[in-house]
Amino acid sequence: MFNDSKKLTVILVGLPGSGKTCIAKKLSRYLNWKGCFTKIFCPDLYLQKLKVLESKTSCMDGQEEKDWNTLSMAECLKDLICWLKNSLEAKVAILDSENLLRDQRALLKKKLETETGSSILFIESVCNINQILVDGENTFACERRVQQYQLRYESLDELLDPNYSFLKLFDVNKSIVTRNVEGHISALIVYFLINARFHSRTLYFSRHGESEYNLQGILGGDSDLSLRGVEYASKLHEYFTGVKIENLQVWTSPLKRARQTAQLFEEKAKIWKCLEEIKAGICEGMTYQQISELYPEEFRSREKDKYNYRYPRGESYYDVVVRLEPIMLELERANNVLIIGHQAVLRCILAYFLGKSTEELPFMEVPLHSVLKISAMADDYHMQTISLNISAVSTQLPFNANL
Ligand code: F6P
């Protein structure tokens, strides 16, 4: 999908504490999830490394005061350029630093354009001083630093920077201004940032209860819940009644096993077609054993590259990721949602929050009869697996199963 897109360098602009790192992480997670390989480069991390190295290798006497900021930026740019130029899969590099001065930005733009051949997109985060995201202990020092920087800060400006491609986010994205944004990836970034939210929230996920087909190891189809699956549906409802979540919304796949699992929730469950399980095409209704005997070539191809493998007349994991896009953007804004879905679909959704690679994604463990709770704080996501203690079969196909 991104093979023909020109590489891109995103240069962040903004005061300390204006949410740049959060924006960088969120953006990188989203682009990587879509298969657009993205890496963040942050001079501050080089600064720490350089200082440790210096303290180990030099004696303190007679040393000249070093310009650490210039040194760390130079090291960081060296790596960024090398990655973007030499890595075949590299698509987007994000430079996470302040870049507050117009001259400094002009130099960066010229250097990165010439040395990487990439397009440049500036993303500026403009925050009201009272909303600066300072961390507790350092509040005072950080506020002083911000005030000093503010005196010299030159914001991106459509009259003074007429040829720049840029995007300005005000108060973490209450409003957005774009200028000269061109190209597929940049358009995708704008679309995502318009929808992205940075608030703390909790999301819940569960597979449907064990189904009749799960008991027989059969893929796909539209079977009913097994007896244990029915038991899980009521335990799941009991669990959410017990934890009393305000305004809980329930989103479910239209397949019978998922709707039967959602049945007891008073709130009318919202049905999303895009939450249907991966389509196994000609292999629907078969067990892994049957597929390996009837279509050994197909079975082997899937084993070699499970993420990209597309079942004949069916889907690949990549196809599922693409069809999930609308629900992911809704989830960005949502809080207290329980999604009742399926193994492959939930792997795709959870991989987004947990930043899993396309190699890891198709093998993630999403056990039956467990609630997976994702808690988000700014851009840190944590997952907790809560087993509701009703036994069920395992549907996890071991890697290189050798059936
Ligand atoms: O076995 C249950 C199931 O949801 C199937 O319907 C689906 O084909 C499969 O899991 C997906 O898992 P995997 O990609 O590991 O085969």
Side-chain angles (χ1 to χ4, degrees):
M1 187 179 180
F2 297 96
N3 289 351
D4 302 330
S5 314
K6 194 173 173 194
K7 296 191 182 197
L8 179 74
T9 306
V10 171
I11 303 178
L12 294 177
V13 176
L15 289 166
S18 58
K20 294 184 301 300
T21 300
C22 214
I23 292 167
K25 282 197 199 165
K26 224 171 168 60
L27 199 53
S28 149
R29 178 188 310 270
Y30 171 72
L31 293 172
N32 280 313
W33 182 73
K34 292 204 51 109
C36 179
F37 291 103
T38 302
K39 201 164 164 183
I40 301 172
F41 294 85
C42 176
D44 277 357
L45 301 180
Y46 288 77
L47 183 69
Q48 288 159 18
K49 273 193 233 155
L50 285 175
K51 284 194 171 172
V52 171
L53 200 69
E54 166 88 357
S55 68
K56 281 190 187 152
T57 54
S58 68
C59 59
M60 299 303 285
D61 296 344
Q63 287 285 310
E64 276 178 35
E65 185 57 28
K66 291 203 162 146
D67 183 350
W68 291 108
N69 290 338
T70 310
L71 283 174
S72 56
M73 178 60 108
E75 284 298 306
C76 178
L77 289 178
K78 221 196 291 173
D79 280 358
L80 184 157
I81 291 164
C82 176
W83 181 74
L84 208 51
K85 233 169 80 175
N86 301 332
S87 158
L88 282 181
E89 60 176 23
K91 275 291 163 202
V92 181
I94 303 179
L95 180 64
D96 177 11
S97 51
E98 280 126 17
N99 311 313
L100 298 175
L101 307 179
R102 184 156 283 109
D103 287 351
Q104 183 192 18
R105 292 196 291 266
L107 285 174
L108 270 177
K109 181 175 183 297
K110 193 162 172 218
K111 181 177 175 68
L112 290 167
E113 263 171 351
T114 339
E115 297 190 32
T116 65
S118 67
S119 310
I120 308 291
L121 172 71
F122 289 95
I123 300 184
E124 179 174 2
S125 176
V126 187
C127 264
N128 177 319
I129 186 89
N130 299 323
Q131 291 180 315
I132 295 278
L133 315 162
V134 285
D135 57 90
E137 278 176 34
N138 296 326
T139 306
F140 184 62
C142 189
E143 272 176 7
R144 271 193 37 202
R145 193 154 72 104
V146 171
Q147 275 160 4
Q148 279 163 10
Y149 279 10
Q150 234 185 356
L151 298 173
R152 301 186 302 142
Y153 182 7
E154 295 163 311
S155 190
L156 285 157
D157 185 292
E158 45 185 63
L159 294 176
L160 299 172
D161 307 302
N163 303 319
Y164 284 17
S165 178
F166 69 80
L167 165 60
K168 277 171 93 153
L169 303 172
F170 293 90
D171 294 336
V172 197
N173 81 347
K174 288 228 171 63
S175 69
I176 294 184
V177 169
T178 64
R179 176 94 188 160
N180 300 328
V181 173
E182 279 171 17
H184 176 46
I185 302 178
S186 296
L188 203 62
I189 290 176
V190 174
Y191 180 55
F192 174 70
L193 288 176
I194 286 173
N195 285 284
R197 294 293 178 272
F198 298 81
H199 56 288
S200 314
R201 65 227 172 86
T202 312
L203 303 169
Y204 300 86
F205 302 87
S206 167
R207 284 177 70 185
H208 53 78
E210 181 189 70
S211 72
E212 293 290 351
Y213 273 14
N214 288 151
L215 283 177
Q216 300 168 58
I218 293 175
L219 307 187
D222 196 11
S223 70
D224 290 308
L225 292 181
S226 71
L227 283 178
R228 293 190 299 200
V230 173
E231 203 186 324
Y232 175 71
S234 85
K235 200 74 189 272
L236 183 69
H237 182 251
E238 208 176 280
Y239 172 81
F240 279 97
T241 312
V243 287
K244 291 198 185 74
I245 291 158
E246 239 177 81
N247 304 323
L248 178 76
Q249 301 175 58
V250 181
W251 298 355
T252 174
S253 128
L255 295 174
K256 272 200 288 185
R257 52 196 187 277
R259 287 167 70 170
Q260 287 170 2
T261 309
Q263 198 161 288
L264 289 171
F265 285 87
E266 266 170 41
E267 309 82 346
K268 218 166 143 314
K270 181 172 174 179
I271 293 171
W272 289 79
K273 174 111 180 94
C274 66
L275 284 176
E276 281 189 0
E277 181 55 312
I278 190 170
K279 304 273 180 304
I282 58 168
C283 300
E284 281 274 315
M286 290 186 194
T287 63
Y288 292 121
Q289 183 75 43
Q290 288 167 335
I291 301 170
S292 71
E293 285 162 16
L294 242 112
Y295 301 114
E297 280 303 312
E298 296 297 332
F299 194 80
R300 271 195 292 276
S301 307
R302 191 164 197 257
E303 269 195 334
K304 270 192 212 131
D305 184 0
K306 195 171 173 192
Y307 181 81
N308 289 302
Y309 169 84
R310 178 178 290 135
Y311 283 108
R313 284 189 254 135
E315 291 178 303
S316 63
Y317 269 90
Y318 175 71
D319 295 331
V320 177
V321 162
V322 171
R323 80 157 132 96
L324 282 171
E325 170 103 33
I327 209 168
M328 298 314 290
L329 295 179
E330 277 293 313
L331 268 183
E332 266 298 321
R333 290 187 291 253
N335 191 13
N336 295 342
V337 173
L338 162 65
I339 293 195
I340 300 178
H342 306 266
Q343 179 160 254
V345 158
L346 291 184
R347 280 178 179 150
C348 294
I349 298 178
L350 294 169
Y352 169 82
F353 293 109
L354 303 176
K356 296 285 179 192
S357 68
T358 52
E359 286 83 27
E360 295 168 296
L361 182 155
F363 299 97
M364 286 169 68
E365 267 201 58
V366 187
L368 282 167
H369 298 179
S370 302
V371 175
L372 307 167
K373 178 176 171 186
I374 296 255
S375 314
M377 284 271 291
D379 196 58
D380 275 331
Y381 295 94
H382 296 285
M383 187 171 88
Q384 194 190 347
T385 305
I386 305 149
S387 163
L388 297 194
N389 295 323
I390 295 176
S391 48
V393 290
S394 164
T395 55
Q396 177 91 4
L397 173 67
F399 186 59
N400 279 333
N402 271 334
L403 293 178

